[in-house]
Amino acid sequence: MPMRSTAKQFVVCLENEGYEVSLERRKIYRVLPDADAAKHRQIRVIDESGDDYLYPQRYFASIELPQAVRRAVLAAV
């Protein structure tokens, strides 16, 4: 059985058409794992409301943050 990653994942928003209130372009968002969503080319992110919702995967790009930046981003949410 593969080990599940517990590391927090982040993406940057590239597009927000139709979700202008919920997503800001060029902003970093935290991803919550959702295998069912991935099957449908969706991604679960914590958006501007502070809750997690599904959005099209193509609206985001995965990013790796240096440890110091990662801590600062997590402290801000």
Side-chain angles (χ1 to χ4, degrees), residues 9-33:
Q9 296 180 341
F10 296 94
V11 291
V12 64
C13 180
L14 304 174
E15 178 61 60
N16 66 348
E17 185 177 342
Y19 303 101
E20 291 85 355
V21 174
S22 304
L23 299 172
E24 290 182 32
R25 289 176 55 223
R26 298 177 299 279
K27 184 171 178 178
I28 297 171
Y29 290 94
R30 184 167 156 216
V31 176
L32 298 180

Side-chain angles (χ1 to χ4, degrees), residues 29-77:
Y29 290 94
R30 184 167 156 216
V31 176
L32 298 180
D34 189 325
D36 289 331
K39 291 176 188 174
H40 299 284
R41 296 187 189 134
Q42 294 184 315
I43 188 169
R44 184 172 297 280
V45 300
I46 299 175
D47 67 11
E48 295 305 307
S49 72
D51 291 321
D52 60 283
Y53 290 99
L54 294 175
Y55 295 99
Q57 276 181 336
R58 70 180 187 280
Y59 280 24
F60 302 90
S62 294
I63 56 173
E64 289 293 324
L65 300 175
Q67 194 61 34
V69 175
R70 185 179 199 73
R71 279 193 298 269
V73 169
L74 287 170
V77 292

